Amino acid sequence: MDFKNPFVIIFIVGTLFSFILDSLLDFINYKFRQKHGLEIPEELNGLLDEATLKKTRDYKNAHYFSDIPYSLLSLALTFALVFSLYLVLAYTKSFDFAKGNSYVTVLLFALAVSLPNALLSLPFELYGEFKIEKKFGFSNMTFSMWLLDQVKALVIGIILGVPLLLVAVALMNHIEHWWFFLGCVYIAFSLAISYIYPVLIAPIFNKFTPLEDGELKDRLLALLEKCGFKANGIFVMDASRRSSHSNAYFTGFGKNKRIVLYDTLIKQLTVDEIEAVLGHELGHFKKHHIIKRMCVMFPMIFVFLFAAWLIIKMPSLYSGFGFKDAASQGSAISGTLQYIGIYLLSLTFGGFSPIFSLISNTFSRRDEFEADEFSAKTCSSGQPLISSLIKLNKENLSEIQVPSIYSIFNYNHPPLLERIKKIKKHSIYS
């Protein structure tokens, strides 16, 4: 390790920045929760009780105290893997075992560097699911169900991820300006996943049944027609098999677009409230939020890949982390090592992700406010939307209000109280 290397310095600074910022924000929110967690704002008088607020506070505290040791161990593991030259060892052993085959080398390296973090997170995931979530009445998981989900996710990840990884290596091996073609492949891959997810991937984990005939279906179909949204059906997902958390969303595109309602949502909300929730989701469609985000993200993919293509040609990126062989190759770095360079680059700058989250969350919260306003206007009143938000917040034990500094970094949806105030401010509450 070369601790004077600029990439190593950026890695250390970024990793510590992310850890300190996240820890500080979590602590600020914890102190705020301890001081104000049992207060009922004027807007929610008679709609929430102290018992629910206490349960919410205890639920969030349980996750907070569980996250502290995980964050510390994760930080220690990250530094240990880098400073011990484990990454270099993983590469050399993978290269030797694969007898120089670039595709096998990259696959083995990807496995070797992902395994330690996966093993570290495993006991915390189990504790969160079977201790915290069960204690507060959310989890309906059995261990066999949880294990089967992990196997399914692993298999799907391999089926989808390995070909994409191999294509990336092939492009790096054979095409000089691979960044452009890899960007095209990644975008096409993302769109393909979005298209097949509702009909091929989601049903592997959950059962989806068409919404039964009745008032709810009639109201939702009328709302879809009013908004000009053509969906391939409205489906109910058996979310209660795993958890009592509730949600609704639309997914897919083209002929595979569909509306999905959690069965828990149908049990918790009235017809008016479910209509308002769907109106919010349709607000994202009518305001073109997804298209706008794509128009920003797709060009950014090419920008980031182009920047990566330039930077991974720098021998100092490799030498700083102990990859002497790559450094000795100068700018003519092989396709296999270019992939290693991409990994080192993500490691180097990954600690600054909170800055990107800050930007992304700012625009996301703006979109949520617009979708709320659209729902209230489309449904002729903000009352059902507000009551649905309060119920969902209560049922999911979500916090009513959090410190603004915490919200801007961690919330892509505005806190409940902000959403209620905004709906009333636009005079769409009745």
Side-chain angles (χ1 to χ4, degrees):
M1 289 290 299
D2 180 5
F3 291 99
K4 296 181 180 179
N5 182 283
F7 291 104
V8 175
I9 293 173
I10 294 172
F11 158 70
I12 295 173
V13 171
T15 303
L16 289 176
F17 166 76
S18 179
F19 172 77
I20 293 172
L21 178 63
D22 288 344
S23 299
L24 182 60
L25 291 173
D26 287 341
F27 179 73
I28 290 173
N29 191 40
Y30 166 72
K31 296 298 289 186
F32 182 90
R33 185 165 59 241
Q34 292 301 98
K35 184 177 181 179
H36 303 288
L38 300 183
E39 297 175 359
I40 301 177
E42 182 181 345
E43 292 85 353
L44 299 175
N45 276 334
L47 299 174
L48 287 176
D49 56 80
E50 187 173 325
T52 300
L53 294 179
K54 186 179 185 304
K55 187 176 181 181
T56 299
R57 186 184 66 180
D58 293 343
Y59 175 65
K60 295 299 182 181
N61 284 348
H63 277 292
Y64 170 65
F65 288 119
S66 174
D67 287 342
I68 291 175
Y70 175 72
S71 298
L72 289 169
L73 290 173
S74 182
L75 175 69
L77 179 63
T78 298
F79 281 140
L81 294 178
V82 173
F83 296 157
S84 68
L85 299 183
Y86 171 82
L87 302 180
V88 179
L89 179 65
Y91 169 71
T92 55
K93 293 296 184 183
S94 298
F95 185 85
D96 292 343
F97 183 85
K99 301 185 185 308
N101 183 286
S102 60
Y103 302 101
V104 178
T105 299
V106 166
L107 290 177
L108 292 176
F109 176 80
L111 175 63
V113 296
S114 63
L115 197 56
N117 285 294
L119 293 176
L120 173 64
S121 64
L122 187 59
F124 292 95
E125 289 179 12
L126 289 169
Y127 180 80
E129 182 67 45
F130 292 101
K131 182 65 176 180
I132 299 177
E133 294 295 309
K134 282 192 177 295
K135 177 181 178 181
F136 289 91
F138 288 123
S139 178
N140 298 316
M141 278 276 199
T142 63
F143 180 75
S144 59
M145 186 186 300
W146 178 87
L147 186 61
L148 183 59
D149 279 352
Q150 301 301 309
V151 173
K152 289 178 180 178
L154 178 62
V155 172
I156 292 173
I158 292 173
I159 292 174
L160 297 178
V162 168
L164 183 63
L165 188 59
L166 295 179
V167 168
V169 176
L171 291 174
M172 292 176 184
N173 277 335
H174 301 292
I175 299 178
E176 170 65 20
H177 295 274
W178 54 260
W179 62 272
F180 175 77
F181 297 97
L182 182 56
C184 294
V185 169
Y186 181 79
I187 291 172
F189 175 81
S190 300
L191 293 175
I193 294 298
S194 298
Y195 184 77
I196 68 172
Y197 177 81
V199 294
L200 293 181
I201 299 177
I204 295 175
F205 296 92
N206 289 95
K207 183 179 179 181
F208 295 82
T209 55
L211 180 63
E212 295 180 355
D213 292 336
E215 181 188 3
L216 177 59
K217 184 175 181 179
D218 292 340
R219 292 272 293 275
L220 298 187
L221 287 176
L223 181 61
L224 292 177
E225 184 175 357
K226 181 179 180 180
C227 295
F229 185 88
K230 296 181 180 180
N232 185 26
I234 304 173
F235 294 84
V236 179
M237 189 179 89
D238 62 339
S240 59
R241 286 184 60 237
R242 292 175 173 81
S243 172
S244 60
H245 288 296
S246 53
N247 198 9
Y249 63 91
F250 69 82
T251 183
F253 65 90
K255 68 178 184 179
N256 281 348
K257 283 192 301 188
R258 57 172 57 183
I259 305 294
V260 177
L261 307 174
Y262 283 23
D263 56 355
T264 48
L265 184 86
I266 294 176
K267 294 176 183 177
Q268 293 167 359
L269 303 185
T270 66
V271 172
D272 285 344
E273 290 166 344
I274 296 174
E275 181 185 45
V277 170
L278 180 57
H280 170 89
E281 297 302 324
L282 291 172
H284 290 302
F285 164 72
K286 293 296 288 185
K287 297 293 183 178
H288 310 292
H289 292 157
I290 298 174
I291 299 298
K292 290 177 181 177
R293 181 155 291 198
M294 286 183 177
C295 289
V296 173
M297 292 304 300
F298 286 172
M300 290 303 296
I301 289 172
F302 288 106
V303 170
F304 284 131
L305 285 175
F306 177 70
W309 177 73
L310 293 175
I311 296 173
I312 64 173
K313 294 179 179 181
M314 300 180 182
S316 58
L317 172 64
Y318 304 88
S319 62
F321 291 96
F323 289 83
K324 304 299 183 182
D325 291 343
S328 66
Q329 293 180 21
S331 60
I333 297 173
S334 68
T336 309
L337 282 168
Q338 286 188 66
Y339 170 80
I340 306 299
I342 295 291
Y343 176 80
L344 293 177
L345 208 54
S346 66
L347 192 68
T348 300
F349 293 97
F352 297 98
S353 60
I355 297 175
F356 295 100
S357 296
L358 174 66
I359 298 171
S360 175
N361 289 341
T362 299
F363 289 102
S364 178
R365 287 194 303 273
R366 182 200 62 185
D367 291 348
E368 294 302 321
F369 283 132
E370 286 187 356
D372 282 348
E373 184 178 356
F374 176 86
S375 173
K377 288 181 177 178
T378 303
C379 297
S380 303
S381 171
Q383 172 58 42
L385 179 60
I386 288 178
S387 60
S388 68
L389 291 174
I390 293 172
K391 283 185 180 180
L392 291 175
N393 199 90
K394 182 178 179 179
E395 294 293 338
N396 291 318
L397 295 182
S398 300
E399 292 178 288
I400 299 171
Q401 52 187 337
V402 296
S404 296
I405 187 66
Y406 183 84
S407 174
I408 63 176
F409 277 99
N410 290 282
Y411 277 30
N412 56 15
H413 282 56
L416 174 65
L417 199 58
E418 290 184 27
R419 296 179 73 173
I420 292 176
K421 289 179 178 179
K422 199 79 168 181
I423 293 172
K424 292 183 175 181
K425 182 179 179 181
H426 286 288
S427 301
I428 50 180
Y429 177 80
S430 63

